[in-house]
Amino acid sequence: MHFRPSISARHERWPLANTFTIARGSKDAADVVVCTLSQDGHVGRGECVPYARYNESVDSVIAQIKAFESKAANGFTHASVERLMPPGAARFAVDAAAWDLSAKCSGKSVFNALGIDIGQPLTTAYTIVYDSPEAMRKDAQRHAARPLLKIKLARKGDLDRLKAVRDGAPEAELIVDANEGWDLRDFEDIAPDLAAEGVTTVEQPLPANADAALQAGSYPFSLCADESCHDRSSLAHLIGRYDMVNIKLDKTGGLTEALALKADARAAGLKIMVGCMVSTSLAMAPAMALGHDADLIDLDGPLLMKQDRPDGIEFTGSKMAWPRAALWGA
C-alpha cells in the first residue's frame, strides 16, 4: 500500500503495578511514544518504548518520527519506511501504525494478510522481577499456576533467588534473563545450578560486546540472544554462540524487519523467542503477528501495568486472546 497520511507522535506515561527491576535498574512507569497515521478517515496507531540502553529517549524518538514525516512528504510504503528510518523504537512505531492503517483501509486484518490462524490463544511467559529472595518466592507463589516464568537475575545472591523462585513455583518452566549482568566466570559458576533447578533457557548471560566467549561453551539449556540481537545485520554474529534469538520489534524497527529476521534465523537453525519492552497492549498486538508460531513468547507487558489501554488484549492466566479491531491490526 502507498501511504500519504498525516503523521503525529506523542509521549504517554503508564504507571506499573509494581516496580520493575532488572540488572540495569528500576522503573515505576512505562514511557512510550505513540505514532498516529491518519488517511481518508482511517487511523493507524503504533507504540514503541524509547530505550536508554540503545541511546534512545522520548525526545529523540519523537524527533525521528518528525524527520521521517519530512522525508516522506510525497508518500511512502512499508519498504520505504525501512529505507528512510534506522532500526529502533521510532521505526517500530511508524511501521506498526502503517500496518494498522493498511488493515483499516483495506478491511483485511494484518493476521489474515499474513496467513496467520488466530483460532488459538498464545501463551506468554510471566516475569518475576529482581528483588530479595523472599519477595521473589512470594511472587512466584502468586503465579505458580502459570506454565512459564521468566526470572530476572544478575547480581550477588542469584542462586538464592533462583532457589526461592523454584520453591515458590515447583511445576513452572523457568527462563532466566541476566540482561548482560554476568561476566563469563559468574555464568560458568552458576550454570550447573541453573540446570539443577530445571532452567530451560538463559537469556543474554554476558554483555553483547563480550558474548564471543559463548562460542567455546556447551550448556545444558538453550542460550538466547537479546541485547545481541537487533535486526538481520546482527544475525551472523549470533550463529555458534546462541541457540535462540529474542526478537523484539522495538529493536528490529518494526514488524516488517522482524518477519524477515525471523525467517533468516529459522533458516540458520535458531529457535525463536518473541519478546517485548514493558509497554501496553498496543505494542503487544503486532508482536503477536510475529509470535504465532514462535518457540517461546514473552509478551507480558500489559500484565505488569497498573491499567492497560481500553480494548486491550484479554488475558486468561497466561493465555492471550487475539487483538480486537479497536486496538490494532483489523
Side-chain angles (χ1 to χ4, degrees), residues 4-328:
R4 295 196 67 176
S6 62
I7 304 174
S8 64
R10 68 180 183 274
H11 168 218
E12 296 179 353
R13 186 171 177 83
W14 293 82
L16 304 183
N18 298 289
T19 300
F20 187 85
T21 300
I22 64 171
R24 276 190 292 275
S26 301
K27 62 181 180 179
D28 296 306
D31 287 288
V32 309
V33 172
V34 175
C35 176
T36 301
L37 305 181
S38 302
Q39 179 176 318
D40 300 329
H42 300 288
V43 176
R45 298 182 303 160
E47 174 186 317
C48 70
V49 177
Y51 204 44
R53 168 67 178 82
Y54 305 129
N55 300 312
E56 295 173 336
S57 67
V58 167
D59 289 343
S60 73
V61 165
I62 290 176
Q64 284 185 58
I65 293 172
K66 289 182 177 178
F68 170 76
E69 182 178 16
S70 299
K71 294 175 185 176
N74 294 322
F76 60 91
T77 64
H78 285 297
S80 57
V81 174
E82 295 264 294
R83 187 175 68 253
L84 294 172
M85 301 184 77
R91 194 173 79 185
F92 172 33
V94 174
D95 181 77
W99 279 95
D100 189 29
L101 180 60
S102 180
K104 300 294 193 294
C105 291
S106 68
K108 185 175 184 179
S109 80
V110 171
F111 310 105
N112 285 341
L114 293 173
I116 296 170
D117 179 5
I118 60 172
Q120 296 297 321
L122 303 184
T123 299
T124 181
Y126 181 84
T127 302
I128 306 296
V129 300
Y130 177 87
D131 207 327
S132 68
E134 181 59 18
M136 292 178 74
R137 183 185 66 79
K138 289 180 179 178
D139 199 14
Q141 282 182 322
R142 285 190 290 271
H143 298 282
R146 297 182 185 275
L148 181 61
L149 297 179
K150 178 172 177 174
I151 314 168
K152 295 290 189 177
L153 294 181
R155 292 183 186 173
K156 186 177 180 181
D158 278 344
L159 181 55
D160 290 338
R161 291 177 174 85
L162 172 65
K163 288 180 178 293
V165 171
R166 176 50 83 200
D167 180 61
E171 302 300 324
E173 179 182 350
L174 299 183
I175 302 169
V176 162
D177 186 2
N179 286 114
E180 304 181 278
W182 289 321
D183 60 26
L184 184 61
R185 182 174 178 178
D186 291 332
F187 180 43
E188 297 285 357
D189 284 349
I190 201 172
D193 298 301
L194 298 174
E197 297 299 332
V199 171
T200 59
T201 302
V202 175
E203 201 175 335
Q204 201 67 43
L206 307 183
N209 62 5
D211 66 357
L214 298 174
Q215 193 106 17
S218 178
Y219 304 98
F221 37 69
S222 294
L223 291 183
C224 180
D226 182 356
E227 286 86 350
S228 291
C229 178
H230 290 258
D231 58 5
R232 281 173 290 175
S233 67
S234 61
L235 192 57
H237 301 287
L238 308 179
I239 298 169
R241 301 177 188 180
Y242 296 95
D243 310 293
M244 179 183 293
V245 293
N246 187 348
I247 303 177
K248 293 179 179 175
L249 276 65
D250 290 270
K251 294 185 299 175
T252 64
L255 179 59
T256 304
E257 172 64 21
L259 290 166
L261 171 59
K262 177 183 172 183
D264 286 0
R266 286 270 198 226
L270 294 168
K271 295 179 181 179
I272 305 297
M273 176 190 288
V274 175
C276 65
M277 304 302 184
V278 181
S279 44
T280 78
S281 283
L282 184 56
M284 301 306 112
M288 291 179 73
L290 186 70
H292 70 102
D293 61 350
D295 298 283
L296 288 174
I297 295 170
D298 180 24
L299 299 177
D300 63 345
L303 295 176
L304 306 175
M305 297 286 169
K306 188 171 289 186
Q307 183 177 351
D308 194 14
R309 294 183 183 278
D311 299 306
I313 292 165
E314 291 185 0
F315 288 82
T316 304
S318 293
K319 292 190 179 296
M320 307 174 68
W322 289 86
R324 300 179 179 93
L327 176 68
W328 184 90

